[in-house]
């Protein structure tokens, strides 16, 4: 009777487990306004990309925030909030670079700036309230995102920044000598997935030409409308499909 009772208890437990809602894996996008924008005229690609995945099987959450750099996304506690929700099997795409360019200091202009490159250089800042801050390189912040994502059992995917609407001699300017280059280098060093969105989108812009590309940018040379954001989202998916070993592929429609 005791053995029979044990089997009955196990059976009840298995049946109960079957009826417990299982959490879907989640895709978290982090970045700046080119990934998420609440302006009614301009959109980040992290919003329309949700429609390109099977959201019955994958939860897509856009955690990017306008105006943020790798440095401020961490210092404001935004990355910590994403980390709290990460679980094994999740994914994190990270695209930064548009807001990192200023010299890092405690001024309004410099509060987002990072040190250039991917090395271990640092700069110590003292804020007016006496608080100390150690500023690192762009690569250092990306590595932090990558390593802490992995520590949670999730998959990091580095994405280079979208190009701005800036043409020279009929070709759009690329970030292949700074932030786009550094993103690629960090991804390679850390042996993680990389999507060169800067190159893919720049190639499309070159093909379309300056006049047609201008239609994607209603207000400035950085922020796209929904049509432009959709082009970028499709570019992410196109490159993602090329990453044969990336399990995020299985959720693409």
């Amino acid at each position: 009777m005791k053995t029979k009772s044990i089997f009955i208890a196990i059976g009840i437990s298995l049946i109960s487990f079957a009826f417990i809602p299982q959490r879907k894996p989640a895709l978290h996008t982090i970045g700046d306004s080119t990934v998420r924008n609440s302006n009614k005229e301009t959109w980040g690609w992290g919003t329309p990309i949700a429609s390109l995945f099977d959201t019955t099987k994958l939860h897509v959450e856009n955690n990017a925030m306008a105006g943020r750099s790798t440095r401020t996304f961490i210092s404001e506690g935004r990355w910590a909030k994403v980390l709290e929700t990460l679980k094994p099997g999740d994914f994190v795409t990270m695209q930064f670079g548009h807001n990192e360019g200023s010299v890092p200091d405690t001024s309004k202009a410099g509060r987002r700036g990072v040190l250039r490159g991917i090395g271990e250089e640092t700069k110590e800042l003292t804020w007016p309230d006496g608080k100390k801050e150690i500023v690192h390189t762009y690569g250092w912040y990306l590595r932090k995102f990558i390593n802490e994502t992995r520590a949670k059992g999730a998959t990091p995917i580095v994405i280079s920044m979208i190009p701005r609407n800036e043409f020279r001699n009929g070709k759009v300017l690329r970030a292949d000598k700074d932030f786009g280059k550094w993103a690629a280098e960090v991804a390679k060093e850390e042996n993680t997935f990389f999507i060169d969105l800067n190159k893919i989108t720049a190639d499309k812009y070159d093909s379309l030409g300056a006049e047609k590309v201008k239609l994607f940018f209603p207000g400035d040379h950085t922020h796209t409308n929904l049509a432009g954001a959709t082009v970028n989202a499709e570019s992410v998916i196109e490159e993602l499909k090329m990453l044969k070993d990336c399990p995020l592929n299985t959720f693409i429609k």
Side-chain angles (χ1 to χ4, degrees):
M1 288 297 294
K2 185 175 182 181
T3 301
K4 184 177 180 180
S5 298
I6 291 174
F7 279 115
I8 291 173
I10 292 174
I12 293 173
S13 296
L14 291 174
I15 292 172
S16 299
F17 178 78
F19 285 99
I20 296 174
Q22 301 301 304
R23 291 182 64 190
K24 293 185 291 188
L27 166 61
H28 294 269
T29 58
I30 64 173
D32 51 40
S33 59
T34 63
V35 183
R36 174 172 172 255
N37 203 323
S38 57
N39 184 302
K40 292 181 179 180
E41 291 187 353
T42 54
W43 295 66
W45 61 259
T47 301
I49 202 171
S51 66
L52 304 178
F53 288 104
D54 183 352
T55 52
T56 66
K57 298 178 180 178
L58 178 74
H59 172 65
V60 181
E61 186 169 326
N62 196 344
N63 300 114
M65 182 57 63
R68 272 58 186 184
S69 65
T70 46
R71 173 185 166 196
T72 55
F73 199 82
I74 293 171
S75 65
E76 292 179 1
R78 298 180 185 279
W79 175 237
K81 290 181 179 179
V82 174
L83 271 181
E84 288 177 3
T85 67
L86 278 186
K87 62 185 186 300
D90 283 354
F91 305 89
V92 178
T93 62
M94 50 200 76
Q95 185 228 273
F96 290 91
H98 283 283
N99 298 315
E100 273 82 354
S102 59
V103 175
D105 56 33
T106 59
S107 69
K108 183 177 180 180
R111 64 181 181 82
R112 303 185 299 187
V114 302
L115 296 179
R116 298 174 66 81
I118 64 171
E120 295 299 323
E121 302 90 342
T122 61
K123 179 179 181 179
E124 182 176 322
L125 302 177
T126 302
W127 288 82
D129 63 0
K131 182 181 178 180
K132 303 286 186 180
E133 180 188 4
I134 303 298
V135 179
H136 301 271
T137 64
Y138 176 71
W140 185 94
Y141 291 111
L142 284 184
R143 281 193 291 269
K144 179 178 175 66
F145 292 139
I146 292 168
N147 293 329
E148 292 183 353
T149 295
R150 283 176 168 160
K152 287 283 191 172
T155 300
I157 302 171
V158 178
I159 300 179
S160 58
M161 59 189 275
I162 66 167
R164 294 181 172 92
N165 180 28
E166 295 180 305
F167 280 79
R168 297 290 185 277
N169 300 317
K171 299 290 184 180
V172 73
L173 296 182
R174 304 177 183 228
D176 55 358
K177 293 179 175 58
D178 44 44
F179 294 103
K181 171 177 175 286
W182 299 329
E185 289 174 345
V186 170
K188 184 177 181 180
E189 285 184 3
E190 297 300 320
N191 193 30
T192 196
F193 298 111
F194 175 65
I195 292 176
D196 197 350
L197 184 57
N198 187 265
K199 179 183 184 303
I200 301 165
T201 298
D203 286 345
K204 290 183 178 181
Y205 286 179
D206 286 349
S207 178
L208 289 169
E211 289 305 310
K212 288 185 179 179
V213 170
K214 185 178 180 180
L215 299 176
F216 293 151
F217 295 85
D220 56 34
H221 66 357
T222 301
H223 302 97
T224 60
N225 55 20
L226 181 57
T230 300
V231 168
N232 291 321
E234 291 171 346
S235 294
V236 172
I237 294 296
E238 290 166 15
E239 186 70 5
L240 186 59
K241 289 178 178 177
M242 303 296 291
L243 302 177
K244 300 301 183 183
D245 297 328
C246 184
L248 185 56
N249 284 332
T250 61
F251 301 101
I252 298 174
K253 283 185 177 177

